[in-house]
Amino acid sequence: MAGGSGPSARAAGAGPAGGRPLIITEDPLLLDDLLRLCAAAGAEPYVHHAVPERSGAGDGDGRAEGDGAGAAGPRAGAGWDTAPLVLVGDDAARRVRGAPRRDGVLLVGRDLDDPFVWQRAVGIGAEEVLRLPDAENRLVDRLADVVEGAGRPALTVGVIGGSGGAGASTLACALALRAARAGERTILVDGDPLGGGMDVLLGGEGAEGLRWPDFAASRGRVGAGALEESLPELHALRVLSWDRGDRVVVPPAAMRSVVAAARRRGGVVVVDLPRRVDEAVAEVLAQLDLVLLVVPGELRSVAAAGRVAAGVRMVARDVRVVVRGRCRQGLDAEAVAGLLGAPLAGEVPVEVGLPGRVAEGEPPGARGALARFCDGFWQRALGSAQGVPA
């Protein structure tokens, strides 16, 4: 089963983030399962035996037909049309027929072999059918979305070097810094265990907070708020990096869960990616809105970047080229992008004094041409209602 924050997190579920789910069932065994899963997600539900007669109001004690479970009190959120999520037990499907159609209705049962379940789901307008125990993880995810008030996910951008020394980590760090300085909630994720550490690049290797090895055993859903609060805060952004101990392998499932949690609270997530696409990196690529492939403007680097791009395109939806430095051998930035078969996202000049400034404690992107490139990128990307513009 998916992990959760447990009953102690109910205060979060009761707050304005998303309201309380509504459970409709008379099956005591199913109700026990649903209450257990609600507790795992930190959600405090209302429980009724049938569709509440009045939306958002109770009969004085917030309960229906003598039901003793769930939250008491005639609070908003108890009604069929106002609850953020409605869990209809298989036993209650007949009683729910005729209720107004709405989004967020799930039909939940425990019989894995019922051939008529889809007919009942269509009859009540359910958007999903969940059979326990197989679908416990999925149901905890939906309940946790209610608790966290899940809205538009973060604009998530990956940065990967087309060749060694392309400057991808520097660009990733600068993009995150400029997004944070523009007022965006920002998380910078170091996806390369063999890199030098993004916290080091930001001068925060000694900062308190969790690193990747602390999440290596993560399974199921990771709480978005808990993740953000646990990470080191450097230059107004949160950083998930590696420690300086022995290399720890983060399984693909843990990588997927952590990146998904980073995305759920909105804002901006920037991921620094290794050039090798293994299963864990593929889990990250599948969640990215855009991948920026950083390529020095020389023929040898373009050839290497072609191999990297081929692996990335197998998973990523949108790959674009950033040309770093002045092009040589008769190439220009458009020609480089054309050779790689990807749109050009822009050109980043090489700043001669940047390494020295970083060594003295100035983070990449604090000023100069790199900062201007990143500001222009975010103005275009964040200014589009659909995310990253074409």
Side-chain angles (χ1 to χ4, degrees), residues 30-390:
L30 179 60
L31 179 58
D32 284 346
D33 283 339
L34 294 179
L35 292 176
R36 170 175 57 85
L37 297 175
C38 283
E44 186 176 3
Y46 290 93
V47 179
H48 288 258
H49 292 163
V51 176
E53 293 184 2
R54 285 172 292 172
S55 173
D59 56 6
D61 63 1
R63 301 173 182 173
E65 303 178 73
D67 186 11
R75 302 182 186 179
W80 170 267
D81 57 346
T82 55
L85 189 69
V86 179
L87 310 181
V88 179
D90 239 357
D91 64 293
R94 190 181 303 274
R95 298 192 298 277
V96 168
R97 287 180 69 95
R101 295 300 174 101
R102 53 152 291 168
D103 295 331
V105 176
L106 310 181
L107 182 63
V108 188
R110 299 164 66 245
D111 185 353
L112 300 177
D113 300 317
D114 183 354
F116 303 107
V117 63
W118 293 105
Q119 294 179 18
R120 294 194 293 278
V122 170
I124 66 173
E127 64 182 51
E128 283 191 73
V129 174
L130 301 179
R131 317 308 283 167
L132 305 182
D134 288 5
E136 286 192 354
N137 287 349
R138 173 60 178 161
L139 183 50
V140 170
D141 279 351
R142 292 298 303 267
L143 290 164
D145 282 342
V146 169
V147 172
E148 295 181 356
R152 181 188 292 271
L155 177 58
T156 309
V157 177
V159 185
I160 189 168
S163 61
S169 295
T170 299
L171 177 58
C173 187
L175 283 168
L177 180 74
R178 300 311 297 185
R181 290 192 174 181
E184 295 291 331
R185 169 196 167 271
T186 305
I187 295 181
L188 174 61
V189 177
D190 187 350
D192 186 357
L194 299 182
M198 299 301 282
D199 55 351
V200 176
L201 198 54
L202 287 166
E205 59 270 27
E208 292 185 2
L210 301 185
R211 266 70 174 181
W212 265 120
D214 299 301
F215 297 98
S218 298
R219 296 293 184 272
R221 185 177 178 112
V222 175
L227 171 68
E228 183 175 4
E229 292 171 6
S230 72
L231 300 178
E233 184 174 7
L234 304 170
H235 303 282
L237 59 96
R238 298 283 182 168
V239 182
L240 175 53
S241 189
W242 301 85
D243 63 10
R244 256 49 67 186
D246 294 336
R247 181 185 175 188
V248 174
V249 176
V250 177
M255 189 74 76
R256 177 178 64 247
S257 297
V258 170
V259 173
R263 298 181 67 234
R264 273 198 302 274
R265 297 188 80 181
V268 165
V269 175
V270 179
V271 186
D272 180 42
L273 296 164
R275 297 200 308 279
R276 179 182 176 184
V277 179
D278 56 18
E279 289 186 27
V281 173
E283 291 289 356
V284 178
L285 288 171
Q287 299 189 60
L288 299 179
D289 297 302
L290 170 68
V291 178
L292 297 178
L293 178 64
V294 185
V295 185
E298 56 186 17
L299 196 57
R300 184 178 177 185
S301 296
V302 174
R307 293 189 290 271
V308 175
V312 171
R313 281 199 192 94
M314 294 178 66
V315 186
R317 295 186 294 269
D318 189 349
V319 181
R320 305 187 195 182
V321 174
V322 174
V323 176
R324 181 172 176 265
R326 180 173 297 177
C327 294
R328 304 171 185 173
Q329 299 163 315
L331 296 173
D332 60 19
E334 291 287 354
V336 170
L339 288 171
L340 294 171
L344 179 66
E347 301 174 62
V348 179
V350 174
E351 292 186 56
V352 177
L354 181 60
R357 299 202 303 268
V358 171
E360 294 173 357
E362 179 181 295
R367 55 192 168 108
L370 183 57
R372 291 191 292 273
F373 171 85
C374 294
D375 287 346
F377 173 83
W378 290 126
Q379 286 170 9
R380 295 189 300 274
L382 295 172
S384 170
Q386 302 300 320
V388 181

